């Protein structure tokens, strides 16, 4: 897929972008989300999860590392590896255990677990542009 750059002007637009991207995802796919705190990664995942059939609240798994949501098509797995950065491989296999061919996985702060992650179907990078504007690069 060629790189695509979109500017959003509010959280709803970033959610909609996530929802649109979800249409191309299949069970087993892994999506990596890169960017600073508050850049919109979880917001994007929320929109994607909704589109994939997740009905309950979708919040950041920053403290739990992982959330798993059942949905009609495939389970949605949401990993946030922010806290893992300081753990230095203390949990070998933790990430791999959460990924399986039947789920669609979204990974925030993937840098901390890159060794264990499969090649992504999609990588999304988020940048602050001031106020509520964000640049979202899908590749
Ligand atoms: P991250 O997961 O990258 O830390 P979040 O998605 O949790 O970021 O938070 C993004 C915050 O920024 C939310 O409070 C959201 O409402 C706000 N926001 C404002 N404008 C945007 C935008 N264009 N896209 C995404 N989030 C936005
Ligand atoms: Mg987040």
């Amino acid at each position: 897929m060629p790189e695509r750059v979109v500017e959003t002007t509010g959280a709803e637009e970033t959610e909609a972008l996530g929802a649109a991207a979800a249409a191309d995802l299949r069970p087993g796919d892994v999506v990596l989300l890169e960017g600073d705190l508050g850049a919109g990664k979880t917001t994007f995942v929320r929109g994607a999860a909704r589109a994939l059939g997740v009905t309950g609240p979708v919040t950041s798994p920053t403290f739990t590392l992982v959330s798993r949501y059942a949905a009609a098509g495939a389970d949605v797995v949401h990993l946030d590896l922010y806290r893992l950065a300081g753990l230095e491989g203390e949990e070998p296999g933790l990430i791999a255990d959460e990924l399986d061919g039947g789920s669609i996985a979204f990974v925030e702060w993937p840098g901390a677990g890159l060794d264990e992650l499969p090649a992504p179907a999609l990588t999304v990078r988020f940048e602050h542009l001031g106020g509520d504007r964000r640049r979202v690069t899908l590749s």
Side-chain angles (χ1 to χ4, degrees), residues 42 60 80 108:
T42 297
S60 176
D80 185 332
E108 299 188 36

Side-chain angles (χ1 to χ4, degrees), residues 5-70:
V5 183
V6 181
E7 283 188 21
T8 65
T9 58
E12 323 70 45
E13 276 183 39
T14 298
E15 281 191 22
L17 205 55
D24 295 327
L25 298 174
R26 300 289 171 264
D29 281 352
V30 175
V31 178
L32 306 184
L33 305 125
E34 302 171 342
D36 292 342
L37 279 175
K41 301 180 295 297
T42 297
T43 300
F44 182 97
V45 174
R46 183 176 298 121
R50 284 271 170 280
L52 291 168
V54 175
T55 53
V58 175
T59 54
S60 176
T62 301
F63 297 101
T64 53
L65 289 182
V66 59
S67 301
R68 179 178 287 271
Y69 305 95

Side-chain angles (χ1 to χ4, degrees), residues 1 11-12 17 21 24 31 40 48 59-60 71 75 81-82 91 94 102-104 120 126 129-131 135-136 139:
M1 187 175 83
E12 323 70 45
L17 205 55
D24 295 327
V31 178
T59 54
S60 176
D75 278 7
L81 306 184
Y82 185 68
E91 301 270 7
L94 179 144
S103 308
I104 296 174
F126 300 81
L129 295 179
R135 181 185 296 122
V136 186
S139 58

